[in-house]
Amino acid sequence: MARIDLDHIRHSYLPNPQKETDFALKEVHHTFQDGGAYALLGPSGCGKTTLLNIISGLLHPSHGKLLFNGHDVTNLSTQERNIAQVFQFPVIYDTMTVYDNLAFPLRNRGVPEADVDRKVRETLDMIDLADWAKRKARGLTADQKQKISLGRGLVRSDVNAILFDEPLTVIDPHMKWVLRSQLKQLHRRFGYTMVYVTHDQTEALTFADQVVVMYDGGIVQIGTPAELFERPKHTFVGYFIGSPGMNVLPVEVEGKTARFGSLAIVLPGAPEKTEGSMELGIRPEYVRLGRVGIGVSISKVEDVGRHKVVRAKMEGREIAAIVGEDEEIPAEPKLRFEPAGINVYADSWRVEMRA
Amino acid sequence: MEKTWNNKAWFLVLPVLVLVAFSAVIPLMTVVNYSVQDTFGNNQFFWAGTEWFEELLGSSRFWQAMGRNLVFSAIILAIEVPLGILIALNMPKKGWGVPVCLVLMALPLLVPWNVVGTIWQVFGRSDIGLFGYYLNKLGFNYNYVQDPIDAWFTVIIMDVWHWTSLVVLLCYAGLVSIPDAFYQAAKIDGASRWAVFRYIQLPKMQRVLLIAVLLRFMDSFMIYTEPFVVTGGGPGNSTTFLSIDLVKMALGQFDLGPAAAMSLVYFLIILLLSWVFYTVMTNYDAER
Ligand SMILES: Nc1ncnc2c1ncn2[C@@H]1O[C@H](COP(=O)(O)OP(=O)(O)OP(=O)(O)O)[C@@H](O)[C@H]1O
Ligand SMILES: [Mg+2]
């Protein structure tokens, strides 16, 4: 178990990167605390796998240093770093039995056979494949294979960190839930440093203490699920987290007022920065539908179970609001923004407001 | 709709039947015919029964030739398969080296058999051949015309030169189909180079290797042209393989009966091998 420091890490797959866009990883400067459970969340191609591979040593970063507990490991091999990593698609040794697959990483490190047996049996129980131990891994289904991949990551107890690269993509929803809670339990029990890559925000928010949101080769925000929800640092985080994502309106700011078309919206404070392209962000959860406020026309109501999502048009622009399951939608609906939910952005980055 | 029942459709298959009959069945039957008769020329034939077969199977000449074939196949397999794997493992997986290597590997395969024979016949000569001359210069007493061991050495080197590429190309095809993730997982799992070969690369190559081994075995078992061109089966009978012996008997001595009997036996052996090939392959597929 270790604290992992990424010290100004940049990476390009090109031999001679010139432009900023040549870098798959722009600049990552961040610490994963010892024993933390982190989710790495971001759209496809934003560099999540690249970052994991740099931590595990499968890739050598073009720039920057990597430290484990303060020791520079940038030039150490994968094996010397002692990291477990589970890949997105199942990798199994199909001429071996299920048991031998799990024993493989231990035997390679010369663990005594008695310990191997104990650890493998424990892991087999955890991934629910104890009955399959003696079977050749070849004929198994995709999700069984993925469980084996997962098991090979979990079987080693002395690792510095466990990295998961979207490990549950091919697993069916129920088993996904079971495995995810087992991972959490494991985390509590052994206090591994865990980094868990995912596309799926629910997965990220339920698994992690800290969510790291990546966008276009960089980290845009790190925070608890609540922070990401309430105070998205970048409009991307606003869109990406939450369902539906944050409403973002282009505005002009004057003091404590934001002008959107002919409307004037009162801000909770005066933004510290007003140059650049200004936007106002408000989550649908903070948009109130009632009889007072800005008049809108409703284009669609989606009932998603616990609540309803109302899509409305305001000054010709689509805006989403969340309304309680049994709340009524008035005949002449009006919108109001809850001040606590208002964030202001300059060139996509959040700016503080003075009261 | 009422079906019309008649046998007219048979006429449609007739051309193929005739073709097969003339190209395969009739020659084969001629051979069968010869194999049970004796002749003293003049187109006079006498019934000989199974005499030729008994003579053949009882002759040490046949068994020696057969033994040479088996030893030859075993040796070239023992060299070509490991060597082929080794080369394939060391070929580049991407970049400009790939087409270069592939073309280099394909070259020997494109040379016709008798040309391969001629190349080595000249190459190995101790008076003017580059290979033979310098071997002698270096102090090896090498002469494939007189020394049976040198003759074998030449025939084997020639086959290895000609056919290892086939094994290489087949193995390479197996290797490039392995996704990167397997190598990455192996690194994470701390696998040694040997373990990567044993548990990732070899299993992926297994199928193509099987094809390579069977192809090379059958092919080397039927070898004729190259040793015929280089050594003519000599010195003595030391490189006289079954096929060379057969031609000697049929065309050299014009012993049609024994040669026909031998052809049939040879044919049956190849048929048996093909059957083994087929069975092994289909069983292997069924097991997957
Ligand atoms: N081996 C490679 N060679 C060249 N470019 C690569 C390579 N691997 C990834 N890239 C590029 O680097 C960028 C980041 O890729 P990466 O695989 O890290 O994304 P990701 O966030 O893991 O995406 P996904 O969610 O699809 O797995 C992408 O633009 C991708 O095209
Ligand atoms: Mg990825």
Side-chain angles (χ1 to χ4, degrees), chain A residues 17 38 50 157 184 188 209 238 263 286:
Chain A
Y38 294 88
T50 307
S157 49
K184 280 201 85 158
R188 262 184 239 120
D209 318 328
L263 301 173
Y286 292 105

Side-chain angles (χ1 to χ4, degrees), chain A residues 56 58 78-79 83 85 87 91-93 95-96 104-105 108-109 138 152 156, chain B residues 181-182 184-192 195 198-200 203 206 287-288:
Chain A
S56 62
L58 295 172
T78 301
Q79 193 158 1
I83 290 258
Q85 186 173 3
F87 300 89
V91 174
I92 55 152
Y93 305 107
T95 53
M96 295 186 201
F104 190 61
N108 284 333
R109 288 179 169 73
R138 175 177 286 154
R152 277 207 320 276
R156 289 155 59 193
Chain B
F182 279 80
Q184 297 185 334
K187 272 194 199 161
I188 297 285
D189 291 339
S192 60
R198 170 70 188 76
Y199 297 112
I200 296 176
Q206 209 173 18
E287 206 185 285
R288 302 282 309 189

Side-chain angles (χ1 to χ4, degrees), chain A residues 256-315:
Chain A
K256 284 190 173 190
T257 319
R259 293 198 183 283
F260 173 65
S262 61
L263 301 173
I265 300 158
V266 180
L267 301 175
E272 287 176 350
K273 193 177 161 211
T274 52
E275 62 270 24
S277 90
M278 302 297 294
E279 284 161 314
L280 181 149
I282 180 137
R283 291 207 173 272
E285 285 81 355
Y286 292 105
V287 178
R288 298 273 171 260
L289 204 60
R291 289 173 214 289
V292 286
I294 309 155
V296 291
S297 65
I298 289 178
S299 38
K300 203 159 64 178
V301 178
E302 297 158 20
D303 198 329
V304 294
R306 280 162 300 142
H307 54 245
K308 285 184 276 201
V309 177
V310 176
R311 309 265 178 197
K313 276 237 169 359
M314 180 181 85
E315 293 272 309

Side-chain angles (χ1 to χ4, degrees), chain B:
Chain B
M1 205 185 97
E2 187 90 359
K3 267 190 185 162
T4 323
W5 284 100
N6 61 36
N7 286 327
K8 279 185 196 147
W10 285 108
F11 285 107
L12 299 178
V13 246
L14 199 63
V16 176
L17 282 182
V18 171
L19 207 70
V20 171
F22 272 99
S23 66
V25 180
I26 293 179
L28 187 65
M29 282 306 140
T30 320
V31 174
V32 173
N33 187 29
Y34 284 146
S35 74
V36 290
Q37 299 190 64
D38 195 1
T39 176
F40 303 108
N42 263 350
N43 256 350
Q44 287 181 303
F45 288 90
F46 308 93
W47 176 251
T50 58
E51 193 186 322
W52 300 130
F53 289 95
E54 284 162 27
E55 193 183 297
L56 178 75
L57 297 177
S59 81
S60 60
R61 174 174 162 179
F62 172 76
W63 291 112
Q64 277 168 2
M66 171 86 120
R68 279 182 217 115
N69 261 28
L70 290 174
V71 170
F72 177 72
S73 294
I75 293 179
I76 62 113
L77 279 180
I79 298 175
E80 286 174 15
V81 171
L83 186 63
I85 293 177
L86 203 70
I87 295 176
L89 285 177
N90 288 299
M91 266 169 62
K93 297 282 173 319
K94 50 179 172 260
W96 57 268
V98 176
V100 174
C101 282
L102 288 180
V103 168
L104 277 180
M105 285 297 137
L107 271 182
L109 297 176
L110 297 175
V111 183
W113 285 254
N114 54 345
V115 176
V116 173
T118 313
I119 291 174
W120 281 87
Q121 206 257 346
V122 176
F123 195 47
R125 277 175 65 163
S126 46
D127 49 352
I128 55 165
L130 200 64
F131 182 65
Y133 180 77
Y134 281 102
L135 266 188
N136 279 298
K137 270 258 158 149
L138 289 172
F140 296 97
N141 189 9
Y142 168 83
N143 187 340
Y144 67 79
V145 185
Q146 278 159 18
D147 189 329
I149 297 198
D150 292 351
W152 267 81
F153 177 72
T154 312
V155 175
I156 286 168
I157 285 270
M158 182 166 61
D159 198 86
V160 168
W161 177 81
H162 196 183
W163 290 112
T164 304
S165 314
L166 180 77
V167 183
V168 173
L169 292 179
L170 283 168
C171 289
Y172 186 70
L175 283 177
V176 291
S177 73
I178 302 176
D180 260 356
F182 279 80
Y183 295 113
Q184 297 185 334
K187 272 194 199 161
I188 297 285
D189 291 339
S192 60
R193 182 71 194 81
W194 165 251
V196 169
F197 174 70
R198 170 70 188 76
Y199 297 112
I200 296 176
Q201 293 172 323
L202 197 58
K204 273 280 183 217
M205 284 192 291
Q206 209 173 18
R207 201 183 141 72
V208 282
L209 267 181
L210 195 68
I211 296 175
V213 167
L214 290 166
L215 275 180
R216 283 312 302 134
F217 179 68
M218 300 217 310
D219 217 39
S220 62
F221 198 76
M222 294 188 279
I223 188 163
Y224 172 73
T225 317
E226 301 101 311
F228 180 75
V229 173
V230 178
T231 65
N237 274 334
S238 61
T239 54
T240 301
F241 298 109
L242 280 175
S243 58
I244 294 182
D245 202 21
L246 179 63
V247 173
K248 267 188 192 169
M249 200 187 290
L251 301 180
Q253 300 156 229
F254 223 72
D255 285 336
L256 285 188
M262 187 170 166
S263 304
L264 281 180
V265 171
Y266 198 32
F267 172 68
L268 288 177
I269 294 174
I270 303 282
L271 202 66
L272 180 76
L273 287 176
S274 308
W275 176 77
V276 170
F277 185 171
Y278 178 78
T279 320
V280 171
M281 291 300 297
T282 40
N283 277 358
Y284 184 78
D285 279 342
E287 206 185 285
R288 302 282 309 189

